[in-house]
Amino acid sequence: MARNRKNLVHDVFELTVRLPWWTGVAAALLSWVVLYWLIRTPSPVSFPSDVVILPVLRGLAMGLQYLLPAVFLTAAAVSAWLRYKQYKNYADVAGEQGHAALELLTWREFEHLVAEFFRRKGFHVEQRGGREPDGGVDLVASIGEDRYLVQCKHWRVQRVGVKVVREICGVAAAENAAGVFVVTSGTFTDEARRFVEENRIDIELIAGDQLRRMIQGLETIKP
């Protein structure tokens, strides 16, 4: 039971972190008010079973009255910090002439950078991942009625090969996506680029140098 409760709190925290920071603040306030009401409001006993059920519910509410708002507020603070870091990283890459700013990012920060890039280009972005298998898809970028699958590879040394591109194309075909983007902080192999030229699926490979130029407004995205 303790393990399930821990997992539930963890899931609530992760979900709230993905939302705007003010959502966590509102959820903290609402949860405290609701739990306070459950504890303080007297409930008439209508059935014999209520003699057991109501004290259990009140005890649970008392245990969560401060824990749940604290979880929401902590998640709101983390969300605000992540948004700040996301915008700062984007600004650093946009103003960086070399590739130091891009290479210093963690893989998660790189994924957030790519997500922010697509948002600023007018796409609605859904981030996949977490504990669920994503099938090689990190982001789903939608614009109008078209959905594009995006895979992010923050590889500083190793070049992205054809296997990565082929696998996400298979997922795109299964999901009936309009096309595919594979974005890396590094480069692609010649075999991967030849695969793109020979494939009917709309694929765009975006290497690190090209991504920086796009963020700086020096190059446009194709779809």
Side-chain angles (χ1 to χ4, degrees), residues 135-183:
V137 180
D138 296 309
L139 311 169
V140 179
S142 304
I143 188 165
E145 297 181 356
D146 295 329
R147 293 170 60 256
Y148 295 88
L149 305 187
V150 184
Q151 187 170 32
C152 307
K153 290 294 184 183
H154 190 35
W155 292 354
R156 298 180 178 89
V157 180
Q158 183 180 359
R159 294 194 295 170
V160 179
V162 66
K163 180 181 178 181
V164 171
V165 182
R166 185 183 292 114
E167 286 177 352
I168 194 172
C169 284
V171 178
E175 295 192 13
N176 197 28
V180 164
F181 291 95
V182 182
V183 189

Side-chain angles (χ1 to χ4, degrees), residues 12-210:
V12 169
F13 181 85
E14 279 197 337
L15 176 62
T16 308
V17 166
R18 296 182 183 182
L19 300 174
W21 66 268
W22 53 265
T23 306
V25 175
L29 179 59
L30 179 62
S31 63
W32 189 88
V33 170
V34 170
L35 292 170
Y36 180 87
W37 178 83
L38 286 174
I39 294 170
R40 301 297 180 182
T41 302
S43 302
V45 177
S46 302
F47 303 97
S49 60
D50 292 345
V51 176
V52 177
I53 295 175
L54 291 177
V56 171
L57 292 177
R58 288 184 186 278
L60 182 61
M62 291 179 66
L64 294 176
Q65 183 181 7
Y66 297 104
L67 174 62
L68 197 56
V71 170
F72 282 129
L73 287 176
T74 304
V78 173
S79 175
W81 169 251
L82 291 177
R83 296 303 184 276
Y84 165 76
K85 284 286 292 181
Q86 183 173 319
Y87 290 128
K88 184 179 183 300
N89 289 337
Y90 198 92
D92 288 345
V93 173
E96 179 65 39
Q97 298 303 317
H99 37 260
L102 190 61
E103 291 189 347
L104 287 174
L105 299 179
T106 65
W107 69 268
R108 178 65 72 184
E109 289 173 338
F110 180 71
E111 183 177 308
H112 289 166
L113 177 79
V114 175
E116 182 64 17
F117 166 73
F118 278 98
R119 288 191 188 97
R120 296 194 183 198
K121 297 302 179 182
F123 290 80
H124 171 75
V125 179
E126 170 197 345
Q127 292 188 253
R128 292 189 182 178
R131 289 178 296 179
E132 299 298 327
D134 57 17
V137 180
D138 296 309
L139 311 169
V140 179
S142 304
I143 188 165
E145 297 181 356
D146 295 329
R147 293 170 60 256
Y148 295 88
L149 305 187
V150 184
Q151 187 170 32
C152 307
K153 290 294 184 183
H154 190 35
W155 292 354
R156 298 180 178 89
V157 180
Q158 183 180 359
R159 294 194 295 170
V160 179
V162 66
K163 180 181 178 181
V164 171
V165 182
R166 185 183 292 114
E167 286 177 352
I168 194 172
C169 284
V171 178
E175 295 192 13
N176 197 28
V180 164
F181 291 95
V182 182
V183 189
T184 180
S185 56
T187 59
F188 295 91
T189 64
D190 293 337
E191 188 179 7
R193 294 192 179 279
R194 284 195 300 270
F195 178 82
V196 171
E197 295 174 358
E198 299 168 357
N199 205 293
R200 294 183 179 181
I201 295 179
D202 187 7
I203 311 169
E204 184 168 0
L205 305 182
I206 302 178
D209 289 337
Q210 185 181 4

